[in-house]
Amino acid sequence: MLDIPASERIIVALDCDHGRAVELAGLLKGRATWLKVGMTLYYASGPAIVEYLKDLGFKVFLDLKLHDIPHQVRGAAESASLTGADLLSVHSLGGADMVRAAREGVQAAALERGVRTKLVAITVLTSMDAESLAQVGIERPVGEEVASLAGLSHEAGVDGVVCSPREAAAMRSALGPKALVVTPGVRPAGSEVADQRRIATPAEAVAAGASHIVVGRPITQSDDPAAAFSAIAHQVEASPRPGA
Ligand code: C5P
């Protein structure tokens, strides 16, 4: 199992506008290691936001969830890596050729500028459950769908997967001790669930084998984001580590 300090396992999702992202980065500097830039912030602020956060000393997960034809995804992954992002996401549902194209794009950026962006594959969104999967024609159990998509992406050469905490243990044993297993859908006990479905607490997610947990609104919408971050880090610190 990767030996990572608790505070470096938490990726704070900045799903907000530019001004608030800058404010949150200031509040979290010195405590958080990772920030996540998703579509909301990236489409508003562009690649400059990644550079800004990197200059402040953060690691950046650029969660653009690439999903298009392989040619487009290769180019998108290259451009995204050239921002200097440390981690980039691609949708497994685009198929093995598309995930391989994303890996090629990341490698092209590495050759061009020496940036080494790691790639993680989204399996099934944590906002989806059996019912919403059935609505789009996927009838098999969520766990089976996640395992199948993770296997496809792993063979295509990703560094890890994004799944819900409920599938983290299965992913850890299928992908081995070094794989990144990133789990959104994390909610400290008592906090708002909102649109998430397949959730667990931070401690449960890490105990199950998550290398990193993504936490957005429980931190960013709290009255004291820095204190909310530290409380979650303490919960993770106290959680038992899996033997894997
Ligand atoms: O606010 P909250 O903690 O629900 O934010 C979760 C974050 O994780 C969001 O930025 C969302 O885009 C992301 N995410 C997710 N499910 C996935 C992949 C990413 O919720 N499978």
Side-chain angles (χ1 to χ4, degrees):
M1 183 63 190
L2 301 166
D3 190 17
I4 308 171
S7 65
E8 294 179 24
R9 288 177 179 274
I10 303 166
I11 305 178
V12 183
L14 301 181
D15 300 326
C16 53
D17 64 23
H18 183 86
R20 178 67 177 154
V22 168
E23 190 184 352
L24 283 164
L27 292 169
L28 293 168
K29 195 169 149 49
R31 297 197 197 209
T33 298
W34 281 96
L35 298 178
K36 184 169 90 68
V37 175
M39 288 182 258
T40 300
L41 181 57
Y42 192 77
Y43 290 155
S45 304
I49 188 68
V50 179
E51 205 176 318
Y52 175 82
L53 297 173
K54 294 284 299 173
D55 285 347
L56 285 179
F58 290 103
K59 288 185 178 172
V60 176
F61 174 14
L62 191 49
D63 187 21
L64 296 182
K65 297 188 170 68
L66 307 180
H67 193 173
D68 206 319
I69 60 169
H71 175 71
Q72 176 81 286
V73 165
R74 188 180 295 106
E78 183 176 353
S79 301
S81 297
L82 289 173
T83 63
D86 299 277
L87 191 60
L88 174 69
S89 60
V90 58
H91 262 294
S92 298
L93 269 173
D97 285 348
M98 193 205 74
V99 175
R100 257 192 304 276
R103 195 197 60 200
E104 286 162 14
V106 164
Q107 285 168 338
L111 284 176
E112 224 172 297
R113 294 245 191 103
V115 286
R116 176 58 183 107
T117 306
K118 290 194 171 176
L119 196 60
V120 281
I122 308 284
T123 54
V124 174
L125 293 173
T126 45
S127 54
M128 297 190 84
D129 55 15
E131 196 185 329
S132 45
L133 280 179
Q135 284 166 4
V136 294
I138 298 171
E139 302 283 352
R140 60 179 161 182
V142 180
E144 267 179 40
E145 179 68 7
V146 169
S148 154
L149 291 171
L152 169 157
S153 294
H154 188 62
E155 277 176 31
V158 296
D159 299 286
V161 296
V162 182
C163 61
S164 96
R166 295 187 191 174
E167 296 99 35
M171 291 298 98
R172 176 60 61 210
S173 58
L175 305 178
K178 290 203 181 129
L180 296 174
V181 175
V182 180
T183 65
V186 172
R187 289 289 179 269
S191 67
E192 284 280 325
V193 171
D195 51 358
Q196 295 287 11
R197 293 286 172 271
R198 300 177 0 262
I199 58 168
T201 66
E204 286 166 347
V206 172
S211 59
H212 297 82
I213 59 174
V214 174
V215 188
R217 289 162 288 182
I219 292 175
T220 59
Q221 294 184 359
S222 133
D223 293 338
D224 186 345
F229 177 90
S230 294
I232 292 173
H234 284 129
Q235 290 173 31
V236 170
E237 190 66 62
S239 86
R241 295 285 182 277

